[in-house]
Amino acid sequence: MREQLELFSHVAAAYADASGTLTNTALYRDVAQRAGLSDSDLQARVPIGSAGAPRSPVARKIRWMQQSLKQLKMIERVEGERGIWRLTERAGKDLDRAAEGVKLIAFHTELGMAIWSRHQNVFPLLDEPIHLCISSPPYPLRQARAYGNPDEVQYVDFICEALDPVVRNLAPGGSVVLNISNDIFTHKSPARSLYIERLTLALHDRLGLDLMDRIPWVNYSKPPGPTYWACVNRVQLTTAYEPVLWFTNDPLKVRSDNRRVLEAHTERHHKLMHAGGAGRTAEYGDGAYQIRPNSFGRITAGKIPRNVFERGHACRDTAAYRQHAKELGLPPHGAMQPTSLPDFFIRLLTEPGDLVADLFGGTTKTGLAAERLGRRWIVTEWILQYLRGAAEMYRDRPGFQMHAALDAVGGHHG
Ligand SMILES: C[S@@+](CC[C@H](N)C(=O)[O-])C[C@H]1O[C@@H](n2cnc3c(N)ncnc32)[C@H](O)[C@@H]1O
């Protein structure tokens, strides 16, 4: 029903009219009335989550939206002559960053929201179980990009401080997945930095996370590098992967399920399976590996993926983002992931309705993947132009709304 798509604005309006002092019950009533929902729509209960306890999905949505406005102390109105520019600070050519303390919902759908803010202003205030935090943080580059990079020495503290409030809210068995770079070298040397090892230990020692895996994202479409150590001074090989580190707060309760990411069987395996399995017996010298008649004969739904994520950069959403950015006169993003990466980990590690977070949103590929998979999502990004471009990818999603102040972003401005 169309009215339901406007829930978010109704929550904001009800809230503003009551100066933020509504009880939950009064809020549900008020919003339901504004949205033209009957009492029975509001009361209708369906099983939600893996425990399947009956809950009201409408009340749940209202609560979730209310939270973003109240608990996170979001700015709603952007007033004054300079509008949104009053809230920015320059971050480089064509890039404007949210000034300290600025927090605005750049756009939202029924399932999630992209918040224009520093993550430090948002996650410490959130009081809601997060099921998965998946992020591609800025890399520890010696020459920082315009959007901001910490150096290698600060990096472990930078990541631990960022993740601390998220880990506090992590649901039991929830996961933290970080896509980082392996190509960080010690000063004037082809030796790789050991920051990944330091970071892994710190996440365990300081935040109590356990390492589930280090999954290489193998990407043969990466430009050949490291330029100096492989192409000029020919001691290194050219890079084709980035590590994806997967942690959880409770390995025995981890919410992972590989049946959600099964791949199609090869044609050969399909035939073998349907022919009743192997027709021979084979035993290898040390007895470690045996094949018996009917081995591999069980009909299974698909292949369990290997722990290597092999995928090029090519991504329809990245192409769409570039096109929108060009049309709107926005700078492109320099470090976009293909949506397939968050999509894979969100399917593996969460169920529909769960909450997925990304502190370093960029073009919000995490949000987009979560949105399409029916998970709730919350993404922070501090560069205004990236969020303005990203909003275009959500236009057809239920409940989509972009903050009117973002209309002024793009093209040429003062
Ligand atoms: C590697 S990019 C993420 C790219 C993203 N995964 C994508 O596919 O578009 C890191 C992002 O973190 C943002 N960022 C850096 N520090 C931040 C902070 N304190 N709060 C919010 N965003 C931040 C940068 O502006 C940049 O867009």
Side-chain angles (χ1 to χ4, degrees):
M1 122 187 27
R2 173 72 207 156
E3 284 89 343
Q4 222 168 320
L5 307 186
E6 308 300 336
L7 267 183
F8 200 98
S9 344
H10 294 314
V11 176
Y15 227 75
D17 287 356
S19 324
T21 55
L22 285 177
T23 63
N24 276 355
T25 323
L27 177 71
Y28 301 155
R29 285 260 154 71
D30 191 334
V31 173
Q33 216 169 25
R34 288 170 197 258
L37 296 171
S38 69
D39 245 18
S40 58
D41 289 332
L42 187 62
Q43 303 299 335
R45 280 161 196 266
V46 292
I48 290 178
S50 49
R55 299 236 169 76
S56 157
V58 178
R60 189 174 143 119
K61 268 183 202 156
I62 296 174
R63 215 172 340 109
W64 157 238
M65 292 163 180
Q66 169 207 21
Q67 168 151 300
S68 61
L69 295 163
K70 181 179 153 192
Q71 197 183 72
L72 304 180
K73 301 193 176 68
M74 216 65 78
I75 302 173
E76 285 164 58
R77 300 204 171 86
V78 177
E79 282 151 2
E81 207 182 303
R82 292 190 60 231
I84 200 147
W85 308 116
R86 199 170 44 83
L87 308 173
T88 62
E89 60 187 31
R90 265 296 144 105
K93 192 175 169 307
D94 301 330
L95 295 179
D96 295 278
R97 197 157 50 201
E100 180 53 46
V102 165
K103 254 180 289 186
L104 183 135
I105 298 185
F107 60 89
H108 68 81
T109 66
E110 267 195 10
L111 283 172
M113 65 193 85
I115 303 173
W116 176 47
S117 172
R118 303 159 189 231
H119 63 77
Q120 293 92 331
N121 291 327
V122 172
F123 287 94
L125 298 182
L126 192 74
D127 182 17
E128 163 104 12
I130 294 172
H131 302 91
L132 167 66
C133 169
I134 175 161
S135 214
S136 165
Y139 299 155
L141 303 177
R142 193 154 290 118
Q143 283 180 333
R145 298 204 180 161
Y147 59 61
N149 296 79
D151 70 24
E152 196 204 324
V153 179
Q154 308 156 330
Y155 202 72
V156 170
D157 289 341
F158 170 82
I159 297 291
C160 286
E161 280 161 22
L163 289 178
D164 183 62
V166 170
V167 172
R168 281 173 202 274
N169 272 325
L170 205 61
S175 292
V176 172
V177 172
L178 300 174
N179 169 198
I180 53 177
S181 173
N182 193 39
D183 297 323
I184 308 301
F185 294 87
T186 57
H187 193 46
K188 295 193 171 168
S189 152
R192 279 173 210 276
S193 157
L194 294 173
Y195 88 99
I196 299 178
E197 284 71 17
R198 280 190 206 103
L199 177 63
T200 306
L201 291 170
L203 290 175
H204 179 75
D205 296 345
R206 297 192 206 170
L207 301 189
L209 295 176
D210 279 296
L211 179 66
M212 289 294 288
D213 209 346
R214 309 175 179 92
I215 298 173
W217 167 23
V218 176
N219 175 4
Y220 291 108
S221 64
K222 264 172 109 56
T227 316
Y228 186 73
W229 296 116
C231 309
V232 181
N233 186 322
R234 309 277 292 260
V235 297
Q236 276 288 8
L237 304 177
T238 57
T239 296
Y241 79 94
E242 282 180 8
V244 178
L245 306 181
W246 166 25
F247 299 89
T248 180
N249 58 1
D250 191 342
L252 297 179
K253 285 202 192 124
V254 69
R255 300 166 61 87
S256 162
D257 188 338
N258 67 29
R259 285 168 295 191
R260 291 192 291 251
V261 288
L262 294 180
E263 291 167 358
H265 283 306
T266 59
E267 206 171 314
R268 192 158 159 242
H269 188 83
H270 206 77
K271 276 196 192 135
L272 181 69
M273 216 165 55
H274 287 279
R280 65 193 176 102
T281 305
E283 192 161 331
Y284 295 86
D286 59 0
Y289 190 73
Q290 292 182 341
I291 298 177
R292 295 197 183 86
N294 302 331
S295 287
F296 309 113
R298 202 159 58 86
I299 309 281
T300 50
K303 189 167 84 178
I304 301 170
R306 304 273 178 183
N307 62 351
V308 172
F309 188 80
E310 220 180 310
R311 211 65 52 108
H313 259 111
C315 165
R316 225 179 282 158
D317 298 319
T318 297
Y321 178 88
R322 286 216 175 93
Q323 185 60 29
H324 291 308
K326 197 165 152 202
E327 284 165 15
L328 291 165
L330 299 165
H333 195 287
M336 284 186 267
Q337 281 175 332
T339 315
S340 55
L341 195 142
D343 172 89
F344 178 82
F345 288 98
I346 292 170
R347 278 187 293 130
L348 176 65
L349 302 171
T350 65
E351 291 179 45
D354 281 357
L355 179 58
V356 178
D358 188 349
L359 287 69
F360 302 99
T363 57
T364 76
K365 295 290 182 41
T366 297
L368 199 57
E371 171 75 27
R372 289 174 180 155
L373 291 168
R375 274 67 165 173
R376 290 173 301 128
W377 54 274
I378 178 163
V379 164
T380 49
E381 165 60 48
W382 66 357
I383 303 287
L384 186 57
Q385 283 77 9
Y386 298 155
L387 290 179
R388 176 63 193 91
E392 295 303 312
M393 302 193 283
Y394 294 76
R395 289 225 174 254
D396 62 347
R397 304 304 309 181
F400 171 80
Q401 212 162 20
M402 183 178 84
H403 198 294
L406 267 74
D407 282 334
V409 183
H412 305 286
H413 65 78

